[in-house]
Amino acid sequence: MQAAGVVAALAALLAGNGTSVLDCVCSRTTAVARSGGILDLSDGEIETWWDYCLRSDRLPEFVSCGALEQQPAAWSAVVRTADAISGYGLAPPAGAGEEGEACADALAQLRRLTRNESLQLVGELICRMADDCIDSCSVPRLDNMAWNTTTLQADDLRHHALSQTWHAVRRITRAMVGRKSCEINYGPTYEWKDLNKTGLQAQAALYRERLSNYWRDLSQLLSLSATHFSQLFVPLAFEHMGNRTSDQQLHGWIKDVQRVKDMLHTKLTGLVHDMQYASKEIGHFEVEEDKEKPGRLILRRPLLSEQLLHHQPWNVSFHDDFSALCEQRQPEASQMFSLAATLYASYRVYWYTAAVFMDRSYEFSFKPVDEEWQLEDRSNTTLSVDTDCVQLLMNALDNPTCPLDDLPVEAVSQRLQCRAQLWDDMVQRSPHIPVTSYLAYTQRVNVNLCLLAWMAVNSFGICQDVPFSIMQSVHDARCYFDSPDDQSCLQSNATDAICSVSRAVLLLKCHDFFFFKPSNSCRVLFYLFRDVPLTYSMLTEQSLAYKATLNNATLRYKDFKIDSLKYLEISLIVINIIFRFSTAGVYMYLPQLRNLPGKIFLSFQITGIIQVLCSEVVYRMAGVPDLPTAVLIDGALTLLSCIWLNIFCYEMYACVRHLRLPNDILPAELSQLFCRQVLLALIPWSTVCVAAVALEKTSRYYLIHSRIVVLVGISMSVTFNLVCLGLVGYMYLRTRYFMRRLKIVGNNKFASKKQCLFMSVKAVILSGLGIIIRIGFHQAQGVAQFVYYVHLGTMVQGPVLFVCFICNGTTLPALKDRILVWWSPTSVPAGQELCSAAERNLARRNNEQPVVTESSL
């Protein structure tokens, strides 16, 4: 029979029975060759077996990392898995019936072919494999099959499903390799030289169309393969380990293995999406002549080309990350995750085989020029984000949970909310928001963009259920950076955008945070599936140490509130409130403290009491108002405290400047002056507060502006205090200088060491430097524990104020005398004796008269 007739006959067989006939032919030919009877095969059989049966199973080789000093942890599981799969790799030879007759007929026709005729036949076959497989390689009866206790324990059904599914995977792989071989060996040739511009563009259009068809076919085949790999997992896991599970535990085991299957399917879905995306981008390739080298063509590829496919991970970290976590819940968790990693690695080899061909094919005809993304390294970029979400990311890394456990609905909802919140924070692009209080620190935190991206997309992060598509990630990241005001170009939704952009940022724009560097990885080839190599990637000690470094970098965001110090915090808050109330009470009780400076300092104390009650009691205990409003109130009261200190310092300066003591002011004038000072304090304070509230409530984009307004107001207020105190010190030094020139020198010292210490502390308090220092410490973003300790330290303000302003040589004796008068109204305090000797004698006689009367009685 002529070759054309054989091809026609086999084409009819393919149309009627799919590639099962050719599988049968390959099985029988392989059996004869392996039994030592290869010399008994005809030229047609040998050529077909060599060029079709073997070539379609061979995949490109990779360079391994050399001899392994230590076998991978999952080696034994991989070997057992390979052995289990191998039994289902090849379809059994067809027996009786129509399929057997078709197989025998095909073998008979092959024996009559010459070598050249066989080559022609093989070329026809491998170019038809992809279209035939797309139509017939699916196993509809097994699609989305619900595996339960009954179906898994049915050996016939399980073995049939495994055999059919793995056989479908082998057919898909053979079709994919055949499609590549067809493109390389039997594709059309293009004449690029001596073409004018019109002819070049026409030829380029044909070339793009053929490439587009190639990628479309591969993406469809890989989509089918991903489906079958996912379907293969559950019955293969039962065959490998589940048959040792008791009937009581089998229901939970099936639930866990289904969860791992979903995780595997999520990973494979990302690979399929990338291939489909790449097939659509072929139309954007441009061919042009190289002006520097005439006769040489340039192929300009856009950024979203198949070059990005190499960023897909070679292996999944299921086994390393989750085995120990899930061991208590599921003793066979390690084997489950190893099986999932094995299937993923095997699929990744098939997937890479399709992608790597494109790079090599360009080099023969073109000079590939890839579009560069004009964006600098983002390793040092910082963002201001929501603290609760950062705490959630930190907790997920510090205390990871087993993915087999059912998360509470609240936890799932919180993850989704944080993904949306973090994306909203990224869109706002606020590099740094000033922190004016501890509450503001617990609301916003400045985080490195690359570290935040790594925390989000880590295996334990909040992006576990989002497929990793490098093509979509780069598209979204480019939209984010190049079109900051127009987010309509995003392909991801608002919930998944943070995951998509973070992955692209990490891979392409974070050189100092790149979590997987080729130099730190090791790829090993395991030829376990007969002729199909399995690539298994391992992480070296260097890469593991780098990963540990990133984990440690997140610890700085741990514990914005330390639970172990909760009772200490409550105690300090109570002590602070008690002493603040005590200081205010003394100023209201003692008449000599009711002068103008005393009333101003009392206003300062009342403002501080209200601030502590609002932020530490009402908000912490009752949870009202909401955190942003509480931050506004806290910042406003901090500013008002500074303004009271402004008035106090100014009055101090005015008294020294005009040599007028505060006690010399008459009561009527005192009330008038105090009302005027209150009015002067409220005008700037209300102006700043209204501006801050208007900015923050108008839009979240103006949050940074509202904080800056408050911080500028506080800074200007403290600056005014320092100027006033500086003028007072200058006048004292100037007066002392002139007195020395006038030879007026006394033996009395200015003050004792104790008094100097008290005055220094008072100067810091009155100047507002303590507030600035506290705010400065709050800017130390990323060190949560340290800022928390500073917050605890600020709670001792009450005792400090009481000691410095009450426990002095003037106020404390007066307070002691007033208290003693309560117990003994007739006692005369020291220094408050009567004015004349006659009055003292009369008082003495009045006191002695009852004693004389009593003695006479």
Side-chain angles (χ1 to χ4, degrees), residues 119 170 181 186 202 206 285 287 317 330 351 379 434 462 476 595 614 624 630 712-713 741 764 806 823 843 848 850:
L119 288 175
R170 296 276 298 196
S181 300
Y186 304 100
L206 295 176
F285 287 13
V287 177
S317 57
Q330 178 54 255
W351 184 84
S379 297
I462 59 177
D476 291 344
N595 52 21
C614 289
V624 291
V712 169
R741 292 193 62 181
V764 172
I806 303 299
W823 299 100
E848 293 176 353

Side-chain angles (χ1 to χ4, degrees), residues 477-531:
R478 194 173 192 180
C479 171
Y480 167 73
F481 286 108
D482 297 347
S483 305
D485 299 328
D486 182 17
Q487 298 297 322
S488 60
C489 55
L490 284 176
Q491 291 190 342
S492 300
N493 55 37
T495 305
D496 298 343
I498 177 67
C499 303
S500 180
V501 172
S502 294
R503 284 163 174 161
V505 169
L506 261 184
L507 290 172
L508 303 179
K509 299 302 173 185
C510 293
H511 299 160
D512 294 342
F513 290 82
F514 191 44
F515 65 95
F516 183 76
K517 298 183 179 181
S519 59
N520 296 338
S521 64
C522 170
R523 289 204 302 270
V524 189
L525 282 183
F526 301 144
Y527 282 89
L528 298 176
F529 300 156
R530 300 193 178 184
D531 295 323

Side-chain angles (χ1 to χ4, degrees), residues 642-663:
C642 292
I643 293 177
W644 289 127
L645 294 179
N646 290 157
I647 300 175
F648 189 92
C649 293
Y650 176 77
E651 288 299 325
M652 183 186 300
Y653 163 76
C655 289
V656 176
R657 176 70 177 81
H658 300 289
L659 298 178
R660 185 182 184 186
L661 296 177
N663 294 331

Side-chain angles (χ1 to χ4, degrees), residues 165-166 169 172 218-234 259-277 309 312-316 318 339-352 464-470 503 534:
T165 304
W166 186 250
V169 169
I172 295 170
L218 288 182
S219 62
Q220 292 178 349
L221 290 172
L222 285 169
S223 179
L224 283 174
S225 182
T227 302
H228 290 312
F229 264 101
S230 300
Q231 294 169 354
L232 188 68
F233 183 76
V234 177
R259 188 69 58 84
V260 179
K261 172 197 170 184
D262 294 339
M263 296 170 62
L264 174 63
H265 185 71
T266 299
K267 296 293 184 181
L268 298 181
T269 301
L271 295 171
V272 173
H273 185 276
D274 277 345
M275 189 65 76
Q276 294 173 343
Y277 201 114
L309 300 181
Q312 278 284 1
W314 273 99
N315 68 323
V316 290
F318 290 165
L339 175 60
T342 300
L343 292 177
Y344 176 88
S346 179
Y347 179 87
R348 179 67 168 83
V349 171
Y350 305 151
W351 184 84
Y352 182 81
Q464 296 178 7
D465 58 333
V466 180
F468 174 32
S469 170
I470 185 63
R503 284 163 174 161
L534 171 63

Side-chain angles (χ1 to χ4, degrees), residues 749-760:
K749 294 183 179 181
F750 173 72
S752 64
K753 293 183 179 179
K754 179 180 178 181
Q755 290 173 335
C756 288
L757 177 62
F758 272 36
M759 284 190 293
S760 300

